[in-house]
């Protein structure tokens, strides 16, 4: 058996030259002291492979037609064997990939690995980051539910604001002037053919560059990169102390990659894919579109900036970030690599992480959008005395006041918390606020009957400290 396999290998190797191709790649020397910090690149590749495999499997059952996509997805999720699990794998695989790309980027930046001669390792990586985000966005759309549909509308509006070519780009995104079947076909083609083709190409180039220049040695403070001598020093050092990539260098990548796959599988199995919401209905404006978690922070930016500067910020900020990232290695391709000697770079990373982190938290809370899922207020809050107060509490829910206002932690956060509203407002104030609205609070004069307003006010009059603690 073993002899058969060996001769089969020799036959293939003779024809294909696999050994010549893979041998140097596997045997090339890597710095001995490469540590656990170096695993994120290979982990990104592992996540990408998970995405390719699960994506192809999903494509077997997906129908990129606006009339059937939603049902196809329901079928995959609820009926197809392992369908739910498969969707889960693809979703958590995407999350893992975004996380790994982010970690890989922060690590290579902090280690100064983008400096000479690895500038293009970095810039192909930046492009791959862009492709990864684009995959996340287009993939979310293929769910073809309310959120998906509205996200595209938002994206198209955003694109429409680009000077000169805006109209064209918006039309390209929508596949016409409105959201419809053509939009879905287009996003499907982009998600499964166009971007993956670029990704395969750039991943190939990226890996080739990693092999060509070798893995950067861990930075040492006081040992700057000098393009004139770096390559020779690196090669001498690796010749002297390096270890072959396979197996001595790669075991950490292997362990971490395996752990990543196990993590994706466990999450997919335990939590399952994100739920599919209602089918898209362009006539329902009430949707509360929210991107998947990795784009939530950007969603927060758009929600929080003043509407006047929204246009320029939407377009300029991402363009600027992209250009800065692409230029980083060209601006500083030599000098100190260790982060302790690069305070500005370290500061930029810390500020970037803090900014995205805090935006991400506020995106997750999204206090600016109404909470349409608010449950009716429980009896304990409504007060047992019943009558007009209970009636007011019921109206507070039924007329959707609760989607914007909190009562004892229940409801939405778009408006002020009304738990203790009567500590600050008189009966008269309450009536005026409800009837006239103002400042993002709708006016209810023409919506509520005077009796309903009375009941609401009676309910809100119970919301003060003295009353509640007695
Ligand atoms: C679309 C979201 C939204 C809905 C729905 C809504 N409100 Fe408001 N409400 C607000 C906002 C925002 C404010 C703050 C307005 C401002 O800037 O002064 C507010 C303010 C108020 C205030 C004044 C609170 C204070 O502390 O100054 C009261 C009282 C109030 N709303 C009651 C209601 C009632 C009763 C309903 C249901 C009939 C309701 N709201 C529905 C958004 C909403």
């Amino acid at each position: 058996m073993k002899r058969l396999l060996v001769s089969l290998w020799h036959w293939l190797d003779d024809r294909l030259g696999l050994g010549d191709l893979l041998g140097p790649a596997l045997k090339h020397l890597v710095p001995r002291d490469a540590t656990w910090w170096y695993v994120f690149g290979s982990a990104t590749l592992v996540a990408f492979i998970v995405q390719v495999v699960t994506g192809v499997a999903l494509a077997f059952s997906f129908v990129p037609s606006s009339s059937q996509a939603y049902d196809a997805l329901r079928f995959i999720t609820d009926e197809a064997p392992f369908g739910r699990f498969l969707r889960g794998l693809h979703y958590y695989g995407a999350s893992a990939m975004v996380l790994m790309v982010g970690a890989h980027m922060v690590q290579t930046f902090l280690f100064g690995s983008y400096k000479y001669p690895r500038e293009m390792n970095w810039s192909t990586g930046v492009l791959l980051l862009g492709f990864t985000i684009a995959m996340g966005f287009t993939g979310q759309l293929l769910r073809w539910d309310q959120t998906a549909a509205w996200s595209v509308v938002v994206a198209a509006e955003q694109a429409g604001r680009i000077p000169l070519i805006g109209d064209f780009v918006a039309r390209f995104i929508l596949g016409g002037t409105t959201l419809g079947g053509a939009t879905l076909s287009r996003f499907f083609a982009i998600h499964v053919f166009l971007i993956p083709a670029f990704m395969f190409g750039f991943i190939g180039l990226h890996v080739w560059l990693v092999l060509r220049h070798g893995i950067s040695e861990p930075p040492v403070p006081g040992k700057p990169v000098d393009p004139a001598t770096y390559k020779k020093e690196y090669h001498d050092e690796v010749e002297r102390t390096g270890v072959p990539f396979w197996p001595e260098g790669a075991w950490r990548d292997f362990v971490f990659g395996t752990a990543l796959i196990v993590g994706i599988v466990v999450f997919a199995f335990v939590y399952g894919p994100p739920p599919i919401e209602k089918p898209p209905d362009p006539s329902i404006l009430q949707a509360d579109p929210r991107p998947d978690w990795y784009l939530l922070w950007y969603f927060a930016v758009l929600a929080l900036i003043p509407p006047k500067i929204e246009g320029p910020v939407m377009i300029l900020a991402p363009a600027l970030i992209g250009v800065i990232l692409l230029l980083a290695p060209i601006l500083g391709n030599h000098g100190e690599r260790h982060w302790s000697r690069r305070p500005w770079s370290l500061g930029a990373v810390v500020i970037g992480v803090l900014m995205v982190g805090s935006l991400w938290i506020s995106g997750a809370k999204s206090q600016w959008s109404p909470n349409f899922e608010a449950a009716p207020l429980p009896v304990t809050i409504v007060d047992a005395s019943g009558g007009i107060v209970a009636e007011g509490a019921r109206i507070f829910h039924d007329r959707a006041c609760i989607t914007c206002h909190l009562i004892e932690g229940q409801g939405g956060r778009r408006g002020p918390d009304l738990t203790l509203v009567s500590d600050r407002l008189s009966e008269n104030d309450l009536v005026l606020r409800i009837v006239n609205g103002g400042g993002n609070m709708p006016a209810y004069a023409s919506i509520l009957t005077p009796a309903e307003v009375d009941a609401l006010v009676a309910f809100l009059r119970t919301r003060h400290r003295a009353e509640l603690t007695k």
Side-chain angles (χ1 to χ4, degrees):
M1 183 65 193
K2 188 169 173 216
R3 275 188 49 203
L4 188 72
L5 282 179
V6 169
S7 53
L8 181 67
W9 165 251
H10 282 308
W11 193 93
L12 281 173
D13 188 33
D14 186 39
R15 271 61 172 188
L16 295 172
L18 291 174
D20 292 346
L21 196 70
L22 295 178
L26 291 176
K27 300 245 154 53
H28 81 280
L29 295 174
V30 298
R32 167 179 300 280
D33 42 5
T35 56
W36 285 102
W37 289 112
Y38 286 71
V39 298
F40 298 121
S42 64
T44 308
L45 185 61
V46 167
F48 178 72
I49 293 168
V50 170
Q51 290 311 85
V52 172
V53 173
T54 55
V56 169
L58 282 171
F60 276 133
S61 302
F62 185 72
V63 190
S65 130
S66 60
S67 58
Q68 292 168 55
Y70 185 79
D71 292 332
L73 214 65
R74 279 237 163 279
F75 169 78
I76 294 174
T77 313
D78 299 333
E79 288 168 49
F82 300 111
R84 200 184 96 93
F85 181 53
L86 184 63
R87 272 196 64 214
L89 288 178
H90 201 62
Y91 176 74
Y92 290 105
S95 302
M97 188 160 166
V98 172
L99 279 179
M100 291 305 116
V101 170
H104 184 46
M105 202 162 167
V106 169
Q107 183 262 324
T108 48
F109 185 74
L110 284 180
F111 279 42
S113 308
Y114 60 86
K115 299 197 177 213
Y116 179 86
R118 302 187 180 85
E119 295 98 327
M120 290 199 59
N121 296 39
W122 173 268
S123 33
T124 50
V126 171
L127 293 179
L128 284 165
L129 168 77
F131 290 134
T132 305
I133 294 174
M135 282 303 268
F137 181 71
T138 51
Q140 194 195 334
L141 183 89
L142 298 185
R143 263 177 244 150
W144 205 240
D145 55 12
Q146 270 291 29
T147 293
W150 282 106
S151 307
V152 188
V153 172
V154 173
E157 294 217 328
Q158 177 173 352
R161 302 187 200 194
I162 307 174
L164 303 178
I165 54 167
D167 259 359
F168 172 79
V169 179
R171 222 177 275 201
F172 179 79
I173 290 178
L174 291 177
T177 47
T178 52
L179 184 81
T183 318
L184 181 57
S185 305
R186 192 146 285 199
F187 272 77
F188 182 72
I190 295 176
H191 186 80
V192 303
F193 298 118
L194 187 66
I195 306 179
F198 277 112
M199 289 185 94
F200 277 109
F202 276 98
I203 289 175
L205 180 56
H206 195 73
V207 171
W208 156 247
L209 290 173
V210 171
L211 291 173
R212 177 172 159 75
H213 300 300
I215 297 167
S216 71
E217 75 284 12
V220 179
K223 193 164 167 283
V225 173
D226 177 359
T229 54
Y230 178 83
K231 273 196 177 180
K232 183 162 176 355
E233 283 169 16
Y234 178 82
H235 283 289
D236 292 350
E237 183 65 21
V238 193
E239 286 298 332
R240 212 159 48 80
T241 63
V243 293
F245 176 66
W246 186 264
E248 280 94 330
W251 70 270
R252 289 192 188 86
D253 298 279
F254 185 80
V255 171
F256 190 78
T258 309
L260 187 71
I261 293 182
V262 171
I264 294 172
V265 167
V266 168
F267 267 82
F269 193 77
V270 176
Y271 297 106
I276 317 171
E277 299 156 21
K278 294 189 199 73
D281 179 350
S283 66
I284 302 180
L285 258 171
Q286 225 198 15
D288 172 23
R290 259 158 171 299
D292 285 342
W293 68 264
Y294 38 84
L295 284 176
L296 256 185
W297 65 276
Y298 186 57
F299 169 75
V301 175
L302 300 185
L304 291 174
I305 54 178
K308 270 205 197 101
I309 58 165
E310 218 170 68
V313 169
M314 272 181 178
I315 304 302
L316 286 180
L320 200 68
I321 294 175
V323 169
I324 291 177
L325 286 178
L326 282 173
L327 288 183
I330 294 166
L331 297 177
N333 77 337
H334 57 277
E336 287 280 353
R337 282 183 56 209
H338 198 267
W339 48 266
S340 67
R341 300 288 172 97
R342 293 161 53 223
W344 288 99
S345 302
L346 184 63
V349 171
V350 171
I351 290 174
V353 169
L354 283 181
M355 247 168 66
V356 170
S358 54
L359 281 168
W360 185 64
I361 291 171
S362 61
K365 286 198 199 141
S366 67
Q367 313 208 330
W368 50 83
S369 50
N371 170 4
F372 293 111
E373 266 102 64
L377 292 166
V379 191
T380 46
I381 294 182
V382 170
D383 174 66
S385 61
I388 189 165
V389 171
E391 174 69 8
R394 191 183 57 73
I395 297 171
F396 194 79
H397 177 266
D398 293 352
R399 292 295 188 167
C401 312
I402 200 168
T403 59
C404 291
H405 290 288
L406 280 180
I407 300 269
E408 295 193 4
Q410 294 214 32
R413 295 165 190 272
R414 194 179 161 88
D417 186 338
L418 297 183
T419 305
L420 294 173
V421 62
S422 285
D423 282 353
R424 41 179 201 273
L425 297 184
S426 69
E427 182 160 352
N428 223 350
D429 295 333
L430 285 174
V431 176
L432 284 174
R433 293 301 271 140
I434 297 173
V435 170
N436 296 327
N440 272 337
M441 158 86 189
Y444 280 88
S446 58
I447 300 172
L448 299 173
T449 65
E452 285 177 314
V453 175
D454 285 348
L456 273 173
V457 171
F459 164 61
L460 292 177
R461 291 298 291 161
T462 65
R463 306 310 310 173
H464 58 85
R465 200 173 306 268
E467 174 91 8
L468 293 167
T469 46
K470 90 175 168 233

